[in-house]
C-alpha cells in the first residue's frame, strides 16, 4: 500500500482499477528542406489539418449528443482555432520562411504561444494554452499518419496521467465510464478540471509522480476530499474508505435535500443564491445545484484563443442559449473584463504598462476599442429574446464612464432596431462596485443604473493594495480586515438608500464565514461557483437573520482581522454549534 498526496479539485471518493494514459509530448527534430519541398510540406500540413478537423467534428458530435451543445463548446473552440485562427498561417509562414519541416514549425509556434501565455498572471487564462497545445499535438499525431485517436478504451477505470489535454478529457469523460482522475500536473482552473467538476468525477491534481509510481490495473482509492490516492490499499483501508464514502453520500443527500428548502433563514428572512459561470455549459451545473439564476457570466472566457474574435452572431448564439436554458431565472452577462492580469494579444494594448492593475483594463480598454465593445453589447442585446438577461459593466471608476457606456448601449440599440434585430424587451443596466473610490458614486446613481454587483475579489485587492497572486504579500489579503468590513457595510447602506438591487459575486459570497458576514450586513443576493451553493444554503437556512445581523453589527468596534474572524465564528458557534461541520464528518 502506498499513499500519494495531491490536491483535490472535484470531491467524491472512488475505488477502482488504474489505467495509465500517456499524453506524451512528441519529440520533434528539425529538418531543413529545399525550396522545391516547401509545397509538399504545406500539403502535408493541410492534410493534417483536414484530418484533425474531421476528428474534432466527430468528438464534437459525440459530446453534443451525450452532454449537450454547450459542453461541446470547448471542442468548437479548438475546431475554430484550426479554421479561422492565425495558428495555421503562423505555421505555414515558418515552413516557408525558415524552410523547415512542418513538425518543427508546429513546435516553434507552440513555443511562441507558451511565451505569450506565461506572461499572463491570471491562472484561469494561463491554462488556456492547453487548448492550443492540444490542437497542435493533434496535428503532430496526424502528421505521423496515425489514423485513430490515441484515447484508450475507458470502461470503469481511474485514469492516471501526467496531464490530459482538454479535448481528450472531454472525449473520455463523455463516455460516462470514467470513475476518477489522477493528474500529476493540470491546473485547478483548466478545462479538464472544470469538466471533471461539472461531471462530478473525483479528481486529484499535482500528484507529481503518480503516473510513474502507479501501474496499469493497480487498485486505487481516489479520495477527492482528503486529496489522497491510495495505491493497492489493504483490506482494512478499503473497509474504512467504504464507510467514509457512505458518510459522504449521506452528506450529499442532505445537501440535495437542502437545495429543495425555501430560500429563507430560520426567521423567514429571504435570500437568493445564484451561480457564477465562465463557460456556457456550466449553466447546467447552475441549475443542478439549485441556483436561482446566473449572477455573473464572465464572458472574457471568449478570449480563450488570442486569435479569434467572436463575431456578433456567434456571441448572440452563445448568450441566447445560456439565457434560454436559465429562463425564467435571470442571467447577468458581464462585458469582457480583460486587461491588468488578463492581457491578450488580440486586444492590441498600446504600450506595456508598468502597473497594469492600475492601468488600461475592462471598460477602460473597451472605451478605447469601441467596435469590439459594441459588437459584444449588440450580441447581448440581441440575445435578450426572453427578457431575462441583464447587462453588467466591470471596474467602473467614475460617473462619466457610466454615461459614455450608456450612450454606447443606446447607439447599439438604435443600430439593431434599424436592422430589425432588437428584441422588444427591457434590459437592466448594472455596474460593478469593485474600485473603492466608486463607492461614493452610488448615491448619485438612483436614476442612472438599475442594479449593482459587488466584486469583492477586486474590492479587497484594491482596498488593501495587495495583489493576492503575489505570494509574499498574500498574508495581507483578508476579507475580515476592518477596512474591508467597513466599506462593505457602507456600500450596503448607500445602495439601500437609493433602493436598488445588489448582488455580491466575489469569492466572499461562496464561503460560509464571509457569506454569513455579508448576510448580517443586509446583503441578500449571492452569486458563487455552483458547487458552493448547497453548502451556503445549508448554513443560511440554519441561522436567524436577526442574530447574524446583531453579531455583524458588533464587528465595527474590533480593530483586527483576527479579532473580527474569531468573534464572528465564536458567536455563531455559541448559538449554532453544528453550523460549520463539514470535513470532520468524513475523517
Ligand atoms: C470580483 O472582482 O470579485 C469579481 C467577481 O470579478 P473577477 O473575479 O472576475 O475580477
Ligand atoms: Mg473583479
Amino acid at each position: 500500500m502506498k499513499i500519494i498526496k495531491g490536491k483535490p479539485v472535484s470531491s467524491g471518493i472512488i475505488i477502482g482499477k488504474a489505467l495509465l494514459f500517456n499524453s506524451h509530448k512528441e519529440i520533434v527534430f528539425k529538418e531543413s528542406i529545399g525550396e522545391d519541398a516547401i509545397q509538399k510540406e504545406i500539403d502535408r500540413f493541410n492534410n493534417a489539418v483536414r484530418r484533425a478537423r474531421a476528428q474534432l467534428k466527430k468528438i464534437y458530435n459525440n459530446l453534443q449528443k451525450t452532454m449537450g451543445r454547450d459542453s461541446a463548446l470547448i471542442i468548437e473552440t479548438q475546431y475554430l482555432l484550426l479554421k479561422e485562427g492565425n495558428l495555421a498561417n503562423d505555421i505555414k509562414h515558418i515552413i516557408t520562411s525558415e524552410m523547415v519541416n512542418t513538425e518543427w514549425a508546429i513546435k516553434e509556434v507552440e513555443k511562441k504561444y507558451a511565451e505569450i501565455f506565461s506572461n499572463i498572471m491570471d491562472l484561469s487564462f494561463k491554462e488556456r494554452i492547453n487548448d492550443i497545445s492540444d490542437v497542435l499535438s493533434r496535428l503532430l499525431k496526424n502528421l505521423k499518419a496515425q489514423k485513430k485517436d490515441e484515447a484508450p478504451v475507458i470502461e470503469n477505470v481511474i485514469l492516471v496521467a501526467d496531464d490530459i489535454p482538454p479535448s481528450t478529457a472531454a472525449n473520455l469523460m463523455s463516455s460516462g465510464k470514467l470513475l476518477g482522475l489522477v493528474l500529476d500536473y493540470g491546473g485547478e482552473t483548466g478545462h479538464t478540471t472544470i469538466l471533471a467538476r461539472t461531471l462530478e468525477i473525483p479528481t486529484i491534481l499535482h500528484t507529481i509522480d503518480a503516473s510513474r509510481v502507479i501501474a496499469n490495473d493497480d487498485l486505487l482509492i481516489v479520495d477527492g476530499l482528503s486529496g489522497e490516492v491510495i495505491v493497492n490499499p489493504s483490506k482494512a483501508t478499503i473497509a474504512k474508505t467504504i464507510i467514509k464514502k457512505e458518510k459522504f453520500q449521506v452528506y450529499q443527500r442532505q445537501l440535495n435535500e437542502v437545495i429543495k428548502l425555501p430560500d429563507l433563514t430560520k426567521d423567514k428572512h429571504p435570500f437568493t443564491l445564484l451561480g457564477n459561470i465562465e463557460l456556457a455549459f456550466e449553466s447546467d451545473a447552475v441549475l443542478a445545484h439549485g441556483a436561482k439564476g446566473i449572477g455573473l457570466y464572465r464572458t472574457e472566457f471568449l478570449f480563450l484563443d488570442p486569435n479569434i474574435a467572436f463575431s456578433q452572431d456567434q456571441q448572440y448564439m452563445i448568450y441566447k442559449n445560456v439565457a434560454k436554458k436559465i429562463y425564467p431565472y435571470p442571467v447577468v452577462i458581464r462585458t469582457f473584463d480583460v486587461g491588468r492580469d488578463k492581457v491578450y494579444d488580440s486586444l492590441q494594448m498600446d504600450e506595456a504598462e508598468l502597473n497594469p492593475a492600475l492601468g488600461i483594463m475592462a471598460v477602460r480598454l473597451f472605451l478605447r476599442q469601441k467596435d469590439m465593445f459594441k459588437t459584444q453589447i449588440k450580441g447581448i442585446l440581441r440575445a435578450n429574446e426572453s427578457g431575462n438577461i441583464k447587462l453588467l459593466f466591470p471596474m467602473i471608476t467614475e460617473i462619466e464612464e457610466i454615461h459614455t457606456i450608456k450612450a454606447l448601449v443606446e447607439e447599439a440599440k438604435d443600430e439593431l432596431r434599424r436592422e430589425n434585430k432588437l428584441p422588444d424587451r427591457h434590459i437592466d443596466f448594472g455596474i460593478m462596485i469593485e474600485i473603492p473610490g466608486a463607492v461614493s458614486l452610488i448615491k448619485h446613481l438612483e436614476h442612472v443604473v438599475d442594479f449593482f454587483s459587488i466584486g469583492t475579489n477586486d474590492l479587497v485587492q484594491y482596498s488593501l493594495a495587495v495583489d493576492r497572486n503575489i505570494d509574499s504579500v498574500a498574508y495581507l489579503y483578508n476579507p475580515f480586515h476592518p477596512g474591508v468590513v467597513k466599506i462593505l457595510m457602507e456600500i450596503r447602506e448607500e445602495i439601500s438608500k437609493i433602493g436598488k438591487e445588489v448582488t455580491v459575486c466575489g469569492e466572499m459570497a461562496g464561503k460560509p464565514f464571509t457569506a454569513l458576514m455579508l448576510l448580517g450586513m443586509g446583503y441578500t443576493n449571492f452569486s458563487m461557483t455552483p458547487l458552493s451553493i448547497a453548502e451556503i444554503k445549508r448554513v443560511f437556512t440554519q441561522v436567524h437573520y436577526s442574530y447574524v445581523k446583531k453579531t455583524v453589527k458588533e464587528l465595527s468596534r474590533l480593530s483586527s482581522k483576527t479579532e473580527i474572524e474569531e468573534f464572528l465564528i465564536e458567536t455563531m458557534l455559541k448559538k449554532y454549534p453544528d453550523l460549520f461541520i463539514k470535513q470532520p464528518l468524513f475523517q
Side-chain angles (χ1 to χ4, degrees):
M1 183 166 110
K2 183 172 168 51
I3 298 177
I4 302 170
K5 277 293 279 178
K7 185 160 181 79
V9 290
S10 176
S11 56
I13 301 167
I14 205 77
I15 305 175
K17 289 256 173 89
L19 175 67
L20 270 288
F21 179 63
N22 193 349
S23 68
H24 59 91
K25 305 261 179 274
E26 309 270 351
I27 299 170
V28 162
F29 296 98
K30 184 175 185 175
E31 289 167 30
S32 299
I33 56 169
E35 216 161 295
D36 51 338
I38 289 178
Q39 192 50 48
K40 207 176 119 220
E41 280 305 311
I42 301 276
D43 290 344
R44 274 184 76 224
F45 172 70
N46 286 338
N47 280 336
V49 169
R50 255 194 300 280
R51 273 204 295 270
R53 283 179 51 195
Q55 289 156 354
L56 285 168
K57 193 149 198 168
K58 210 166 121 201
I59 299 176
Y60 177 88
N61 289 338
N62 281 345
L63 259 184
Q64 198 177 23
K65 257 186 248 144
T66 51
M67 288 163 71
R69 158 83 177 66
D70 292 342
S71 303
L73 185 68
I74 290 168
I75 298 304
E76 193 178 23
T77 307
Q78 295 199 359
Y79 186 83
L80 290 174
L81 267 172
L82 285 176
K83 190 169 171 239
E84 297 173 357
N86 289 333
L87 217 53
N89 289 341
D90 285 355
I91 293 166
K92 285 185 205 165
H93 176 73
I94 292 177
I95 295 173
T96 324
S97 63
E98 293 181 31
M99 303 216 296
V100 287
N101 53 329
T102 312
E103 285 85 348
W104 185 259
I106 289 175
K107 279 287 161 194
E108 287 290 292
V109 167
E110 185 174 15
K111 218 162 46 185
K112 175 183 134 186
Y113 283 103
E115 268 168 32
I116 294 170
F117 276 74
S118 70
N119 292 325
I120 297 173
M121 296 290 284
D122 184 310
L123 267 184
S124 56
F125 286 89
K126 211 180 179 77
E127 282 155 10
R128 306 305 177 231
I129 182 66
N130 293 341
D131 287 298
I132 295 176
S133 299
D134 196 356
V135 166
L136 294 179
S137 114
R138 182 173 295 280
L139 285 179
L140 286 173
K141 282 177 189 161
N142 278 299
L143 282 166
K144 278 169 85 184
Q146 289 175 341
K147 288 205 177 59
K148 60 183 176 59
D149 223 350
E150 287 199 348
V153 180
I154 300 295
E155 222 21 91
N156 298 329
V157 288
I158 295 167
L159 212 68
V160 181
D162 48 357
D163 198 358
I164 298 187
S167 70
T168 309
N171 208 7
L172 298 175
M173 289 178 196
S174 64
S175 71
K177 289 174 180 159
L178 182 65
L179 297 179
L181 202 54
V182 176
L183 299 179
D184 287 345
Y185 307 101
E188 284 168 58
T189 46
H191 272 150
T192 302
T193 309
I194 291 172
L195 279 171
R197 266 200 215 113
T198 306
L199 297 174
E200 298 179 22
I201 293 171
T203 299
I204 300 188
L205 306 180
H206 306 175
T207 42
I208 301 169
D209 60 354
S211 64
R212 266 174 283 135
V213 172
I214 297 169
N216 269 339
D217 290 330
D218 273 350
L219 188 66
L220 300 184
I221 294 175
V222 173
D223 187 334
L225 305 171
S226 66
E228 279 174 350
V229 182
I230 307 174
V231 189
N232 296 323
S234 65
K235 279 195 177 126
T237 307
I238 294 176
K240 246 170 69 187
T241 304
I242 289 171
I243 294 170
K244 187 173 174 181
K245 188 173 168 171
E246 281 166 1
K247 279 189 189 172
F248 181 65
Q249 282 165 344
V250 170
Y251 168 74
Q252 278 188 313
R253 274 199 295 276
Q254 284 169 353
L255 282 188
N256 282 337
E257 288 308 306
V258 166
I259 286 173
K260 295 180 201 147
L261 293 174
D263 294 320
L264 295 170
T265 60
K266 273 251 177 301
D267 50 351
K268 306 278 183 264
H269 188 76
F271 58 83
T272 305
L273 304 184
L274 305 147
N276 289 351
I277 66 163
E278 283 186 339
L279 286 157
F281 82 84
E282 288 174 288
S283 31
D284 289 327
V286 167
L287 294 176
H289 288 87
K292 299 292 189 298
I294 292 173
L296 176 66
Y297 180 2
R298 292 178 161 110
T299 57
E300 53 274 15
F301 185 80
L302 296 179
F303 280 98
L304 172 80
D305 167 24
N307 294 308
I308 297 177
F310 277 81
S311 67
Q312 189 200 122
D313 282 351
Q314 285 169 318
Q315 293 192 52
Y316 155 67
M317 287 303 294
I318 294 170
Y319 305 145
K320 187 178 85 169
N321 287 335
V322 172
K324 267 200 171 151
K325 183 162 276 168
I326 298 295
Y327 184 83
Y329 295 128
V331 176
V332 177
I333 304 186
R334 181 176 76 179
T335 56
F336 302 134
D337 183 8
V338 292
R340 59 201 191 281
D341 50 351
K342 310 165 187 170
V343 180
Y344 303 96
D345 237 21
S346 52
L347 296 178
Q348 293 152 9
M349 311 276 286
D350 293 345
E351 66 272 352
E353 292 168 324
L354 265 182
N355 198 345
L358 304 179
I360 300 293
M361 57 178 153
V363 292
R364 298 178 190 178
L365 178 65
F366 283 97
L367 289 175
R368 288 157 66 111
Q369 302 202 0
K370 290 197 177 124
D371 284 349
M372 200 186 278
F373 198 24
K374 219 151 83 177
T375 300
Q376 183 180 32
I377 291 174
K378 282 182 169 176
I380 299 172
L381 292 170
R382 279 177 66 191
N384 192 29
E385 290 171 4
S386 325
N388 60 331
I389 291 181
K390 298 176 179 210
L391 246 178
L392 178 66
F393 296 87
M395 303 301 289
I396 295 293
T397 314
E398 55 175 22
I399 201 158
E400 288 83 349
E401 246 169 11
I402 306 175
H403 293 315
T404 314
I405 292 168
K406 285 195 85 172
L408 243 156
V409 172
E410 286 313 310
E411 228 176 274
K413 279 185 186 170
D414 286 343
E415 288 173 18
L416 285 176
R417 213 174 275 124
R418 265 181 262 132
E419 295 166 40
N420 248 336
K421 285 182 179 165
L422 185 70
D424 186 18
R425 302 281 188 180
H426 170 78
I427 193 159
D428 273 353
F429 178 97
I431 62 159
M432 289 194 73
I433 299 289
E434 46 190 346
I435 295 176
V439 178
S440 61
L441 305 179
I442 298 171
K443 62 170 170 287
H444 304 290
L445 300 177
E446 185 179 350
H447 304 293
V448 184
V449 309
D450 300 306
F451 70 98
F452 293 90
S453 182
I454 314 302
T456 54
N457 303 339
D458 279 311
L459 190 70
V460 174
Q461 168 156 297
Y462 288 105
S463 297
L464 304 179
V466 175
D467 182 339
R468 65 183 165 150
N469 293 317
I470 300 178
D471 280 351
S472 50
V473 290
Y475 72 100
L476 287 169
Y477 186 99
N478 194 302
F480 294 108
H481 185 289
V484 174
V485 172
K486 183 166 182 286
I487 200 166
L488 284 166
M489 284 176 169
E490 188 189 342
I491 294 172
R492 176 62 266 196
E493 228 178 277
E494 290 294 304
I495 295 176
S496 296
K497 279 188 205 156
I498 61 165
K500 297 288 171 182
E501 190 185 280
V502 56
T503 298
V504 185
C505 63
E507 288 296 298
M508 284 181 77
K511 303 259 161 64
F513 302 135
T514 44
L516 262 183
M517 181 168 84
L518 291 161
L519 181 74
M521 289 174 182
Y523 291 97
T524 50
N525 301 329
F526 301 81
S527 194
M528 64 202 76
T529 164
L531 277 177
S532 302
I533 289 169
E535 176 63 7
I536 295 297
K537 187 155 177 178
R538 188 185 69 77
V539 170
F540 280 8
T541 48
Q542 283 189 50
V543 299
H544 296 79
Y545 173 65
S546 55
Y547 184 77
V548 182
K549 193 174 168 192
K550 206 173 90 200
T551 307
V552 170
K553 220 171 172 181
E554 298 285 313
L555 301 181
S556 37
R557 64 178 171 79
L558 303 172
S559 63
S560 80
K561 60 190 182 199
T562 319
E563 281 176 329
I564 289 177
E565 186 172 5
E566 281 175 2
F567 178 82
L568 184 72
I569 296 172
E570 277 166 21
T571 317
M572 295 315 297
L573 287 181
K574 217 185 288 166
K575 190 166 167 76
Y576 313 103
D578 294 332
L579 195 57
F580 304 120
I581 47 162
K582 213 183 159 184
Q583 298 307 340
L585 190 69
F586 314 120
Q587 299 311 310

